Amino acid sequence: MSASPSGAARKTPVSVGDMLRRLDWRVELLGLLIVLSEAALVYLVTGVLLAASLPGSPVLPFWIVALLLLAAHLVPHLLDEWRVWSPEYEAITALAIGLTTLVAIKGGSFAHLSTFSSGWLRETAQAFAFLPNDGVRPVWGIVALAAYAWWRGRTREEPSIDSAYTMLRTGSIALAIIIVLVLLIATEGDQARQRLSVTTIAFFVMALASIGVARLKLEGFRTSSPLGPRWIATFVAPIMAVVVVAIVGAGIFSRQFLDTVLWMLGPLFWFLGLVFDVFVLILAIIALLVLTPIIWLIGDRQPRFSIATPVPGSDGERSALERVAESPFQAPEPLRYLIAALILFAIVSLLTRFIFRRRRRQRDATDEVRESVLDWGDLFGSLAARLRGLMPRARVTVDPFAHLRGDDRWRHTLAIRETYLRLQERGELAGRPRHIPETADEYRPGLSSRLATPEDVPAAIEVITEQYRHARYSGVPATAEDADEVRRAWRLVEQAPAP
């Protein structure tokens, strides 16, 4: 869990417009398409493993799978983007886990019961304790699905062109394996078989559309001018590929083709069954050879000890030991509920290790240097610096922004970073320099307290800091609007009286 900012920074009001401006619709759409592609694969798996105990074996509704995966992706992502800190971060995430799991249980196992009655909650508690209930699907199976969804929400890669291609490559292999498993497990009348064609087409549509949106995102980063014919060729080509794949998929994945595939795989399945039978036969022969001498040794011997036969009495006078031995073990209901609560607590505890821990943002390599609090090597470095100071040389000035100069795409990024450098110099003159271990967010509250007058200066410092962080670490060229906003904010800081 990353450390939360100071109290002054947390109390800064953020409007809804600011929260929405922090989001890029292309990145958000790309993430949704990648998640929906994975949801198509999970839908096929749950169609077999979580089929309802009804005629036709109805599959788990797709909206439940999509709800769990999308919520697990969006909730932590939006909380990170909108900078929601502890303890609100944990409270909102835990509430989202509980609500989505309950909604999935209601829609998946107890859809036939009234939503506004407590009957389905009582049935859910009985299902957790493995008591008789009216659920059409196992509740623990839906809990496992929710746990997987929230685990994937934290471990899934950030939306990018690489993650989109990875989903298409690995998802295609996984889809082929899942289709074979569905053909083996599901019967002819099961709904899982009937949904194979539609789900296969949906997967390729989502996966290829995500690649198109990712390419659109890259195209928008390369230029700030209106996207013309080049963008059309870049974005429309994957969409046309989606249409072609959908048409081909609709013709290929028909029932006749699936039956043909199953017929072609018949010899392979027969051979695997033969190997399994031979393996079982070998194990039986080995067990016979091992147990035969033992049986022969004890076969003619009389047992030295025997259990005394109880004195026969009436049918109602059997001993308590005999009654317990004849009846199956039944755990008390309070113990069942306790075990169910412990299992749920263990699942939530494992999830919190991923959900409540903020994802480390991927950053490009920077030229900033972070130093340890106690570095033994620094002692010798300081000594060497003092010795070099005794023999002065002509110092070579290194331009920290040399890699940005000469490229017109980065001129606005260069202007923002130079402005932030002047802001640090202003803070040093005000008696609040930026320390080496401090990040830009950690430096801002202390600088704002030194330059607190007039009242609009702290807000201007926040604008410069936010634009600097985006220009410095996003890897995306800043726009002219960003540079103008920083320039206006710097005028306010520059005109402020020195403390």
Side-chain angles (χ1 to χ4, degrees), residues 69 72-73 76-77 148-156 355 359:
L69 290 174
H73 164 72
H77 170 67
Y148 166 81
W150 284 96
W151 172 75
R152 284 290 294 151
R154 182 49 79 188
T155 57
R156 188 181 292 108
I355 303 302
R359 185 197 299 269

Side-chain angles (χ1 to χ4, degrees), residues 441-454:
D441 280 339
E442 293 170 346
Y443 178 56
R444 178 174 54 81
L447 180 61
S448 299
S449 62
R450 286 300 182 99
L451 305 176
T453 55

